[in-house]
Amino acid sequence: MAKGASIRSVIEGYDGVICDLDGVVYRGDDAVPGAPAALQDMVVRGVRVVYATNNASRVPDEVARQVAALGAPAAAVDVVSSAQAGAARLQGQLPAGAQVLALGGDGVVEALDQVGLAPVRPRDLDGTGAADVAAVLQGYGRQLRVSDFETAARLLTGDLPWVATNDDATLPLPWGQSPGNGAYVDLLATATRRRPVVVGKPHPPLYRLALDRLGTSTTRTIAVGDRLATDIVGAAAAGIDSAWVLTGVDRPSDLIGSGASPTYVVASLAELLQPYAAPQPHSGGWRCGAAFVLAGDDGLRIEQGRATAAEVVRAGLAAIEERRQDGRSTDRHREDALALDRLLDLAQAPTR
């Protein structure tokens, strides 16, 4: 997390943005407040934006239409999917027109077709047709059947190239967590005793494809996401800066011990366009904007004043990290981070 300097706005330092979707631009069917207007403002300023998604089941045009309907700038070319990253990987290994088993949804099929490879659905194969398949591209598809995985396992008992769009173990749905593509990758890995090359977040290939689409350098591109283990860790693996937004699933307590290190912590996409205060050491604690946080043995001392919740979170995380580096109680780290969770939840609670 950037410390020691305050800047006019984060976005002024960048020419391109690799933006996550769920939890950043929208939540369910609704836009995150301020996100579409912020993205429009970025484009007006000349900043290029692409939307990077691990969801390989949807085609880019469908994703773009959803984003545009919320008021954000989006066309199909602005969507970079893990299915496209997987197809690009196989394009570099196979001759044009080679048959590839498309083990997934329409997004996988379209991605293969767009790079000149021939997608084949599992149900279209019989015992002889399988001999012509040159590789397997596996992505999430809700229509997949047990027999489809049996077909893939039969192919993968040899040494065919096997690429997985992503290895997310779970998929969030309105009622809770469902098995994600990673769970089905594990199923095939158990059966075949081998593992695929994975191209989606947090692995670098999806970010590299997004950089190619943007035409910007790693030093002038920032990735924005709400998930630490995928968006933020993936940005670091690709060598680009990141902004962790607090509108999604991960909370301050998730950052402690996660190994993720976002360059910036912002309340929402809109805050990328506003003056940014970085935490600085002050009087034994940390100051960020109008917020002051001191990590003591009995917990955090928080002076919020007129500071935003994000400024308190930045100062609090800096104080907790300083104490962690000093080797003090790890139980205390967790308790203090949970206090930041509660403060953030209170700030984000809808007013009546």
Side-chain angles (χ1 to χ4, degrees):
M1 183 172 64
K3 299 176 183 177
S6 297
I7 55 179
R8 285 180 294 173
S9 73
V10 171
I11 203 62
E12 290 179 34
Y14 301 96
D15 301 318
V17 174
I18 301 172
C19 190
D20 184 45
L21 288 167
D22 196 9
V24 178
V25 179
Y26 54 71
R27 287 188 295 249
D29 295 328
D30 301 320
V32 171
L39 290 162
Q40 290 281 10
D41 196 339
M42 291 177 196
V43 172
V44 168
R45 294 180 186 215
V47 178
R48 290 215 59 197
V49 177
V50 296
Y51 304 96
T53 176
N54 265 2
N55 189 335
S57 64
R58 302 171 71 193
V59 298
D61 183 64
E62 178 187 355
V63 176
R65 281 188 279 108
Q66 178 186 357
V67 174
L70 297 174
V77 71
D78 302 320
V79 178
V80 183
S81 73
S82 59
Q84 291 176 326
R89 174 76 180 228
L90 289 173
Q91 181 189 26
Q93 297 178 245
L94 304 174
Q99 291 190 8
V100 177
L101 180 69
L103 187 67
D106 291 340
V108 174
V109 173
E110 182 181 281
L112 289 167
D113 186 64
Q114 286 182 338
V115 299
L117 297 173
V120 181
R121 299 269 195 181
R123 66 179 67 96
D124 297 329
L125 292 177
D126 57 27
T128 56
D132 297 324
V133 174
V136 174
L137 179 58
Q138 180 179 1
Y140 184 77
R142 299 190 72 177
Q143 83 288 351
L144 292 174
R145 308 165 300 181
V146 171
S147 59
D148 297 334
F149 289 100
E150 290 174 344
T151 297
R154 174 160 51 94
L155 289 168
L156 292 171
T157 53
D159 58 357
L160 284 186
W162 176 20
V163 174
T165 60
N166 65 297
D167 52 7
D168 299 335
T170 60
L171 178 72
L173 292 175
W175 49 262
Q177 298 292 327
S178 175
N181 193 53
Y184 298 110
V185 167
D186 287 344
L187 182 152
L188 281 176
T190 299
T192 62
R193 298 186 180 182
R194 55 180 294 206
R195 297 201 68 86
V197 172
V198 183
V199 296
K201 297 183 281 188
H203 306 280
L206 179 57
Y207 289 93
R208 294 185 187 129
L209 185 62
L211 285 166
D212 289 343
R213 192 76 58 88
L214 286 169
T216 53
S217 68
T218 54
T219 57
R220 296 288 297 179
T221 305
I222 187 170
V224 185
D226 69 310
R227 289 182 178 267
L228 295 162
T230 52
D231 303 318
I232 305 307
V233 170
I240 59 178
D241 289 347
S242 63
W244 176 39
V245 298
L246 302 175
T247 52
V249 295
D250 283 346
R251 318 304 284 161
S253 59
D254 296 310
L255 181 61
I256 305 302
S258 68
S261 183
T263 314
Y264 305 97
V265 177
V266 293
S268 66
L269 262 177
E271 201 168 279
L272 293 175
L273 300 161
Q274 301 165 5
Y276 184 90
Q280 303 179 58
H282 180 80
S283 299
W286 287 83
R287 180 169 293 284
C288 183
F292 174 77
V293 178
L294 176 67
D297 292 336
D298 56 349
L300 293 183
R301 191 185 103 204
I302 298 174
E303 297 175 9
Q304 183 167 3
R306 302 182 68 176
T308 65
E311 288 172 341
V312 176
V313 169
R314 286 178 218 142
L317 289 172
I320 294 169
E321 176 62 16
E322 180 181 46
R323 184 172 55 192
R324 188 188 70 79
Q325 290 182 357
D326 288 345
R328 286 182 273 171
S329 168
T330 54
D331 290 340
R332 184 76 261 168
H333 305 336
R334 178 71 177 169
E335 291 173 17
D336 288 346
L338 289 170
L340 294 178
D341 288 359
R342 291 189 290 269
L343 182 147
L344 184 61
D345 291 340
L346 184 63
Q348 294 178 334
T351 56
R352 301 194 178 192

